[in-house]
């Protein structure tokens, strides 16, 4: 849009600086835009006015990045469980089809000795646990 061409070396410099500066930006909404501005400012400052074009669509792009991140984390969990031999394909297919999976214990091992008080809803230590 601005008619500025980056050489291969400049593209690699942008990539290296972006990889270094983006490490803390993943959990902060809008931080990617600031990180991009800082990266362009350090490599080619004359490109900073072009950031105004991106400002209008940054919110939409942020939502797309979050969606991509969630999908990527889900796929990674399935792949890792498949590699480790822990993937229950039948249960996964039942869950994807919307079927209610009965008898599935979602509590972690550390919370097995906890129970909920029916009146207050607070979590209590179970009196039936043995050391």
């Amino acid at each position: 849009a601005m008619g500025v061409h980056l050489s291969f070396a400049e593209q690699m410099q942008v990539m290296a600086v972006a990889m270094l500066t983006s490490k803390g930006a993943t959990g902060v909404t809008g931080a990617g835009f600031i990180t991009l501005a800082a990266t362009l400012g350090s490599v080619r400052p004359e490109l900073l006015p072009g950031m105004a074009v991106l400002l209008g669509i940054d919110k939409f792009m942020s939502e797309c990045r979050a969606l991509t991140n969630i999908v990527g984390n889900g796929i990674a969990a399935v792949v890792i469980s498949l590699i480790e031999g822990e993937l229950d394909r039948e249960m996964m297919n039942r869950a994807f089809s919307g079927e209610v999976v009965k008898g599935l214990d979602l509590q972690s091992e550390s919370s097995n000795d906890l129970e909920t008080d029916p009146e207050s809803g607070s979590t209590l230590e179970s009196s039936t646990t043995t050391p």
Side-chain angles (χ1 to χ4, degrees):
M2 295 184 64
V4 177
H5 298 284
L6 297 176
S7 67
F8 181 74
E10 288 174 320
Q11 292 176 27
M12 292 299 106
Q13 185 180 5
V14 167
M15 185 180 75
V17 172
M19 286 173 42
L20 290 173
T21 58
S22 66
K23 291 301 169 202
T26 56
V28 181
T29 304
F33 188 78
I34 303 301
T35 303
L36 180 59
T39 301
L40 288 178
S42 68
V43 177
R44 294 281 294 267
E46 66 270 16
L47 295 176
L48 283 176
M51 294 288 295
V53 174
L54 297 178
L55 185 59
I57 61 169
D58 184 56
K59 177 67 175 164
F60 174 72
M61 288 176 18
S62 180
E63 296 295 327
C64 292
R65 283 190 297 267
L67 180 61
T68 303
N69 201 6
I70 289 171
V71 170
N73 288 345
I75 291 171
V78 170
V79 169
I80 296 297
S81 65
L82 181 65
I83 290 170
E84 293 186 354
E86 297 290 325
L87 181 64
D88 185 350
R89 288 180 185 262
E90 179 184 337
M91 186 174 293
M92 180 181 71
N93 289 334
R94 287 171 45 200
F96 284 155
S97 68
E99 183 180 333
V100 176
V101 181
K102 295 184 180 188
L104 180 62
D105 184 16
L106 296 177
Q107 290 184 343
S108 66
E109 292 178 15
S110 64
S111 65
N112 284 340
D113 59 344
L114 300 177
E115 59 185 39
T116 305
D117 181 17
E119 293 179 18
S120 67
S122 62
T123 304
L124 305 170
E125 281 194 42
S126 175
S127 59
T128 61
T129 59
T130 57

